[in-house]
Amino acid sequence: MKSIKFLVMDVDGTLTDGKIYMGQNGEMMKVFDIKDGCGIKEIAIPAGIIPVIITARESNIVMNRCRELGITEIYQGMRDKIRKLKEITEDLSQVAYIGDDILDLQCMVPVKEAGGLIGCPSDAVASVKEVADYIASKNGGCGAVREFIEWIVY
């Protein structure tokens, strides 16, 4: 498999099922899959792949989960995802990007054109699936990221 230095991930709909649980007082809850976390912490990082979060939303929950997994490259509130990605690396061929919706296409298309790898959960939108090199058998938040990591590393 090609030499990947960065695993760039969207959060909502990719590392989570895309649902936002809000209570009467504005509490929020997100659900993460333990297999995705294990894939990031126990497979990607030991393989020398730097995990990166670039997400349009902002959440303390995401920060807490990233701390647990050893993810230090966390960029929230990023609607212009490609600008942030190009600040991280100009060599998009070293990027594996996984996302699920149209905001991710701004990174997916240039990464693919540069020779990087594109993945998505099985429940990603059609336009994302058209660009993907790898479509996971699992939905977002249900192990899709782990599948993509294993496809890259093994």
Side-chain angles (χ1 to χ4, degrees):
M1 195 55 69
K2 84 176 20 263
S3 178
I4 295 298
K5 183 174 178 182
F6 299 97
L7 171 64
V8 180
M9 299 165 280
D10 174 45
V11 175
D12 296 310
T14 303
L15 282 169
T16 75
D17 63 7
K19 295 179 174 87
I20 306 294
Y21 300 89
M22 298 185 82
Q24 183 175 359
N25 297 321
E27 307 93 2
M28 206 162 41
M29 189 172 66
K30 295 177 185 276
V31 178
F32 296 92
D33 190 288
I34 199 76
K35 290 176 189 72
D36 288 335
C38 184
I40 293 165
K41 188 172 185 174
E42 305 300 334
I43 300 172
I45 293 173
I49 298 171
I50 300 165
V52 179
I53 298 290
I54 303 178
T55 181
R57 294 183 56 86
E58 293 189 46
S59 166
N60 287 330
I61 296 168
V62 171
M63 294 301 294
N64 293 337
R65 184 65 175 144
C66 287
R67 263 193 298 280
E68 285 182 346
L69 299 178
I71 300 172
T72 57
E73 300 281 331
I74 310 149
Y75 307 97
Q76 298 193 77
M78 297 286 133
R79 294 194 64 80
D80 188 356
K81 292 182 174 192
I82 188 62
R83 191 185 83 199
K84 179 50 70 179
L85 180 55
K86 286 182 175 178
E87 287 175 13
I88 295 165
T89 181
E90 285 293 324
D91 187 358
L92 298 181
S93 72
Q94 295 182 329
V95 172
Y97 188 102
I98 184 164
D100 71 304
D101 214 334
I102 57 173
L103 275 181
D104 297 305
L105 289 170
Q106 63 184 281
C107 290
M108 290 176 155
V109 171
V111 166
K112 186 171 182 105
E113 288 172 352
L117 298 174
I118 303 301
C120 70
S122 63
D123 60 345
V125 298
S127 57
V128 166
K129 287 181 176 180
E130 288 173 14
V131 174
D133 298 302
Y134 183 84
I135 301 171
S137 67
K138 305 232 183 332
N139 286 347
C142 296
V145 171
R146 169 70 171 266
E147 273 189 45
F148 187 50
I149 291 168
E150 289 180 346
W151 182 75
I152 294 164
V153 173
Y154 300 133

